Amino acid sequence: MNGKTGNATSTSFGYVFNMRTTSESQAIIVVGLDFLTASTETLKFELYFSMNSYVQSKGKFGNWNLVGKGAITGKGMGRLTSITPDLIDPIPIDGQGSTRAFYLTLNTEDLVFRMTASGSAPDEVVQVASDEVEIYEGESVQTFPFTEGGAPGDYVGPSQFIGAVHYDSLPCKPFDDHGTIYNLPCPIIPTISPAPSTNAPTTLTPTLSRVPSMSPSLEVTPEASSQFTMHYYSCIKV
């Protein structure tokens, strides 16, 4: 789903925004993030989340949890650059209106964001929404890293993130066992063990028989032995 289009873009070191589940949504898990960068060079990124709104977490290092960092190659203005699931820890968000704040930063001033002239305060306008989540307008971060305690000019907003958020809309599988889950982690489903048999064991007398020296064997191919897992991944583009 496309977000509201602003008139111009600019670049910064980082960006902060809030993501909320809708009032009817069950819990989800964020598994990846795409962003737009002006660079085609190797970039160092860091991704954080906060349990609180970013508005209350600006300038407070203790409020942020690092979920991934590394080096990736920027794809420039024409394509989104991806932070794939193998580069970050999954980020759970409870359902029914829960909030997670995200802080993405690069080590260079190459993160592209969209400026907006809405006139609203940051975190007031929903930039884009799906059935499960809403992404709100946030603020660009003009330093790396942000200043402890905050400083004038560190944040510019409201502005809009350009990219995509990938999330698992059915984190507790299989659905038939768990049903609708609004809070994570997934509950433990008890298993029923068979009752021990009360019958006495039967003793079999072994018999000898001639076995051919070259017996055919049954080979299980990788395709036959593999298990198929269904993933309910969704993507919201902004």
Side-chain angles (χ1 to χ4, degrees):
M1 181 180 296
N2 294 324
K4 300 174 183 178
T5 302
N7 294 324
T9 59
S10 187
T11 59
S12 63
F13 285 96
Y15 191 83
V16 288
F17 66 94
N18 287 328
M19 181 173 176
R20 295 180 174 94
T21 53
T22 62
S23 59
E24 301 297 325
S25 173
Q26 65 174 346
I28 67 167
I29 295 180
V30 174
V31 297
L33 189 74
D34 300 339
F35 63 92
L36 189 64
T37 174
S39 174
T40 56
E41 305 295 327
T42 298
L43 304 167
K44 292 183 179 180
F45 80 91
E46 295 178 7
L47 181 63
Y48 298 79
F49 84 91
S50 175
M51 301 290 288
N52 306 308
S53 165
Y54 85 84
V55 178
Q56 284 76 48
S57 299
K58 291 192 300 184
K60 300 176 182 179
F61 287 119
N63 282 18
W64 295 96
N65 303 279
L66 178 67
V67 292
K69 64 179 181 178
I72 52 179
T73 301
K75 295 184 179 179
M77 293 293 291
R79 299 172 59 191
L80 293 176
T81 300
S82 297
I83 300 175
T84 52
D86 58 303
L87 297 177
I88 63 172
D89 296 327
I91 305 167
I93 308 179
D94 288 340
Q96 299 181 307
S98 296
T99 298
R100 287 292 182 276
F102 290 84
Y103 168 44
L104 170 65
T105 185
L106 306 178
N107 65 325
T108 59
E109 199 173 359
D110 289 310
L111 183 64
V112 180
F113 66 94
R114 183 184 297 116
M115 296 183 289
T116 178
S118 65
S120 302
D123 195 37
E124 282 189 355
V125 175
V126 176
Q127 179 182 344
V128 65
S130 69
D131 291 340
E132 295 86 15
V133 297
E134 298 173 337
I135 293 178
Y136 285 71
E137 288 184 343
E139 298 178 67
S140 63
V141 185
Q142 301 297 311
T143 60
F144 172 74
F146 62 76
T147 306
E148 177 70 23
D154 279 2
Y155 300 89
V156 174
S159 55
Q160 297 181 343
F161 179 70
I162 302 176
V165 178
H166 301 267
Y167 60 93
D168 190 341
S169 58
L170 190 59
C172 300
K173 304 175 183 65
F175 180 80
D176 289 344
D177 289 345
H178 290 88
T180 301
I181 300 297
Y182 293 109
N183 301 101
L184 295 171
C186 299
I188 298 175
I189 304 299
T191 58
I192 301 176
S193 301
S197 174
T198 57
N199 297 326
T202 302
T203 302
L204 299 178
T205 303
T207 59
L208 298 179
S209 60
R210 182 178 296 276
V211 178
S213 58
M214 296 295 292
S215 300
S217 61
L218 177 62
E219 181 179 359
V220 180
T221 64
E223 290 79 10
S225 61
S226 64
Q227 292 184 341
F228 176 74
T229 303
M230 176 70 76
H231 295 285
Y232 296 82
Y233 288 156
S234 301
C235 173
I236 182 168
K237 296 181 180 180
V238 293

